[in-house]
Amino acid sequence: MGTRGGALAVAILLSVLLHQSILLASADGLVRIGLKKRPIDENNRIAARLVEKEEGPLLAARRYGLRGAPLKEGEETDIIALKNYMNAQYFGEIGIGTPPQKFTVIFDTGSSNLWVPSSKCYFSIACLFHTKYKSGRSSSYHKNGKSASIHYGTGAISGFFSTDHVKVGDLVVKTQDFIEATKEPSVTFVVAKFDGILGLGFQEISVGNAVPVWYNMVDQGLIKEPVFSFWFNRNANDGEGGEIVFGGADPNHYKGNHTYVPVTQKGYWQFEMGDVLVGGQSTGFCNGGCAAIADSGTSLLAGPTTIIAEINQKIGASGVVSQECKAVVAEYGQQILQMLLAEVQPGKICSSIGLCTFDGKQGVSAGIESVVNKDTRRSAAGLSDAMCNVCEMAVVWMQNQISQNQTQELIFNYLNQLCEKLPSPMGESSVDCSSVASMPDISFTIGGKKFSLKPEQYILQVGEGYAAQCISGFTALDVPPPRGPLWILGDVFMGAYHTVFDYGNMRVGFADAA
């Protein structure tokens, strides 16, 4: 991306980490946190250029594989209003200490710790631009001192644990363990609109095994039901950005009934998802089921490169041309096609032609030299990994076209188009803003029901008129088996569908947002 879209890229990078919420008490006993948007400024543009130089993907896989424990019923409901930055960051205020010191945080279902910058953060530029916790000013502070560090998709923090009261809306969570961050080395945190993060995942992924704020809310009897819910306002012109409700759901922000699916693996809010459709037509990729998580801390919708490339091709998104992809199609395409027509087991094709080895479950790099740039000194292992991955993608793409009875010529034209639409290294793909209205709906099957996203819901636009730039809401993230393939349904999805996280019944629910 160029500098025109740099600010949006930064906002997306930041939100891949988490979301934020600001606390406002209401007359009905609920605490709401509203979301607002802020104009793009030159500081964001400068930071964007810095972020674009950093290595690493836009989204990185978090740690999966967790367990959980049932929560007790409380007494009240807490509603917190959220603020919205460019449909990419949702944030709000909490208070820590006595009297409360205010911090802007993201409420993140993809992590489980609470952290804010520490007054002892001396050498990180990010700390200079954000509010810092001062333990000496709190009468309820208790020293802990155990060291801690957290690595997110686009940054990392480190520091030490402390214990203090945490005010969330009208609720005061007592003796909460949290992290005072003394190092925030990533540029991501320099330009963040939030000070810290409040994790809403399960304790099994909590660094230091710290009890999450959400658990303590329930255990201390502060909320009515072991449930919380999100509503994200995707209207860029509204001052209200959304809300998170602790203890229930606000009926004013959803239509009809929620479709619930059980949590299949605790840690993140993970569940089983079915087929993905483009313009009502099956991609076939998740016919046998795919794992997915609902993640309020990720701004985009992430999925396996194979399908993301296909989706981006269908909506006309432009990514980076992959030489390895086109090389595999040119060199091995006919062989792959003939094997599929001969009904060879698809999972064994790439190992059969020597691009991958087969371990019975997944393709693994076999160390094959690239057919492109043979004279270069690029890493053979890295190239072979790419060749193996591209081969496996080509098999899926061809299967899809064969099922539609396409001719050989159309199949290979289609594959080369997909190669050209592979996402860029930073994960973003741009589209022509004038073509948004003609793009297809993208649907996800959850609990036997199709949840569709319209183009205006999955395209992020920044700027107006000639200066407008549009970004695809779909980005690639490959999580290998047995945890993957994995889909991360971030704000792009949760903005369209009100989401309930029901800890009492270990399930996640979706309904049309209102």
Side-chain angles (χ1 to χ4, degrees):
M1 288 177 56
T3 55
R4 272 200 311 160
L8 182 56
V10 171
I12 292 171
L13 285 165
L14 295 173
S15 292
V16 159
L17 301 178
L18 326 146
H19 291 277
Q20 313 161 324
S21 322
I22 294 183
L23 314 173
L24 298 172
S26 61
D28 58 7
L30 301 178
V31 179
R32 293 177 171 81
I33 300 181
L35 304 175
K36 296 182 179 178
K37 297 181 181 293
R38 301 177 183 176
I40 299 172
D41 56 34
E42 187 58 27
N43 287 335
N44 278 334
R45 295 182 184 275
I46 293 172
R49 289 193 285 271
L50 293 173
V51 170
E52 286 171 355
K53 295 179 181 179
E54 290 189 340
E55 295 182 354
L58 174 69
L59 284 143
R62 308 186 199 235
R63 293 164 297 170
Y64 300 94
L66 313 162
R67 298 176 299 277
L71 298 176
K72 298 182 297 183
E73 183 174 315
E75 296 178 349
E76 298 186 21
T77 304
D78 198 40
I79 301 178
I80 298 174
L82 302 174
K83 291 190 177 181
N84 183 356
Y85 178 69
M86 297 172 65
N87 279 352
Q89 296 179 52
Y90 292 92
F91 50 90
E93 280 184 3
I94 64 170
I96 301 180
T98 308
Q101 301 173 38
K102 293 182 179 180
F103 299 92
T104 299
V105 299
I106 286 176
F107 288 88
D108 176 36
T109 58
S111 66
S112 300
N113 292 87
L114 168 62
W115 68 264
V116 294
S118 172
S119 60
K120 297 177 177 62
C121 180
Y122 304 117
F123 303 110
S124 293
I125 296 176
C127 291
L128 299 177
F129 295 96
H130 294 94
T131 304
K132 294 180 284 293
Y133 171 76
K134 301 176 177 62
S135 58
R137 295 186 179 181
S138 173
S139 62
S140 50
Y141 162 76
H142 292 281
K143 183 178 180 180
N144 181 312
K146 183 173 65 174
S147 62
S149 62
I150 303 178
H151 295 271
Y152 297 104
T154 55
I157 64 99
S158 61
F160 59 89
F161 279 101
S162 290
T163 304
D164 210 333
H165 297 345
V166 175
K167 189 172 187 293
V168 182
D170 285 338
L171 308 182
V172 177
V173 180
K174 296 182 179 180
T175 60
Q176 174 66 47
D177 290 336
F178 67 100
I179 298 172
E180 291 192 46
T182 56
K183 292 182 180 179
E184 298 180 36
S186 175
V187 173
T188 298
F189 292 116
V190 175
V191 296
K193 297 298 179 184
F194 56 89
D195 300 314
I197 290 165
L198 192 156
L200 293 170
F202 293 86
Q203 187 174 359
E204 285 80 359
I205 59 170
S206 176
V207 171
N209 199 36
V211 178
V213 173
W214 159 247
Y215 281 42
N216 281 329
M217 275 188 191
V218 177
D219 290 341
Q220 294 176 21
L222 301 177
I223 57 175
K224 180 178 173 182
E225 300 286 344
V227 173
F228 61 90
S229 58
F230 277 91
W231 168 64
F232 292 141
N233 187 352
R234 303 294 277 181
N235 188 330
N237 298 317
D238 278 0
E240 183 181 17
E243 70 179 22
I244 177 173
V245 178
F246 289 106
D250 188 341
N252 293 317
H253 293 308
Y254 63 88
K255 295 180 288 187
N257 297 320
H258 287 80
T259 296
Y260 286 95
V261 286
V263 172
T264 56
Q265 185 166 337
K266 298 174 185 175
Y268 305 96
W269 290 86
Q270 184 171 325
F271 55 91
E272 188 81 0
M273 185 181 80
D275 197 13
V276 180
L277 300 90
V278 179
Q281 189 170 21
S282 170
T283 62
F285 188 77
C286 288
N287 272 338
C290 285
I293 65 172
D295 187 358
S296 63
T298 295
S299 56
L300 302 184
L301 197 158
T305 300
T306 304
I307 299 304
I308 295 300
E310 186 170 350
I311 291 174
N312 280 334
Q313 187 273 335
K314 294 289 188 184
I315 67 176
S318 300
V320 174
V321 176
S322 169
Q323 288 186 326
E324 283 81 7
C325 182
K326 287 195 171 184
V328 166
V329 173
E331 187 82 3
Y332 302 100
Q334 284 287 351
Q335 190 174 356
I336 294 172
L337 180 60
Q338 293 304 317
M339 295 175 77
L340 284 171
L341 292 175
E343 298 186 350
V344 174
Q345 185 177 335
K348 295 185 177 181
I349 289 178
C350 294
S351 59
S352 297
I353 63 179
L355 289 181
C356 303
T357 57
F358 188 76
D359 66 358
K361 296 181 180 179
Q362 60 177 320
V364 182
S365 166
I368 306 300
E369 183 179 11
S370 174
V371 297
V372 179
N373 298 327
K374 290 185 178 179
D375 296 330
T376 66
R377 295 185 178 181
R378 296 169 62 191
S379 166
L383 285 174
S384 59
D385 285 341
M387 298 287 279
C388 177
N389 291 337
V390 168
C391 178
E392 291 174 336
M393 287 192 288
V395 169
V396 175
W397 293 338
M398 282 191 183
Q399 275 185 288
N400 186 32
Q401 292 297 291
I402 290 172
S403 69
Q404 298 176 38
N405 297 317
Q406 299 290 357
T407 65
Q408 178 175 308
E409 181 181 1
L410 289 176
I411 288 174
F412 283 101
N413 285 340
Y414 181 69
L415 261 63
N416 280 306
Q417 289 174 21
L418 289 178
C419 285
E420 293 179 354
K421 300 301 181 181
L422 286 173
S424 69
M426 288 298 290
E428 317 94 5
S429 295
S430 62
V431 300
D432 182 356
C433 292
S434 65
S435 65
V436 172
S438 62
M439 293 177 185
D441 289 356
I442 310 297
S443 304
F444 301 85
T445 307
I446 301 173
K449 179 181 178 180
K450 291 181 176 61
F451 291 81
S452 296
L453 295 176
K454 298 183 180 300
E456 59 269 23
Q457 293 174 314
Y458 63 72
I459 296 297
L460 283 70
Q461 178 174 328
V462 58
E464 299 291 340
Y466 176 77
Q469 184 168 12
C470 292
I471 304 297
S472 167
F474 301 100
T475 189
L477 173 64
D478 291 306
V479 178
R483 298 299 182 195
L486 181 76
W487 290 79
I488 298 179
L489 307 186
D491 299 352
V492 165
F493 188 86
M494 290 177 63
Y497 295 101
H498 182 273
T499 308
V500 173
F501 298 84
D502 185 346
Y503 194 12
N505 294 299
M506 285 298 158
R507 60 182 185 170
V508 182
F510 303 98
D512 288 328

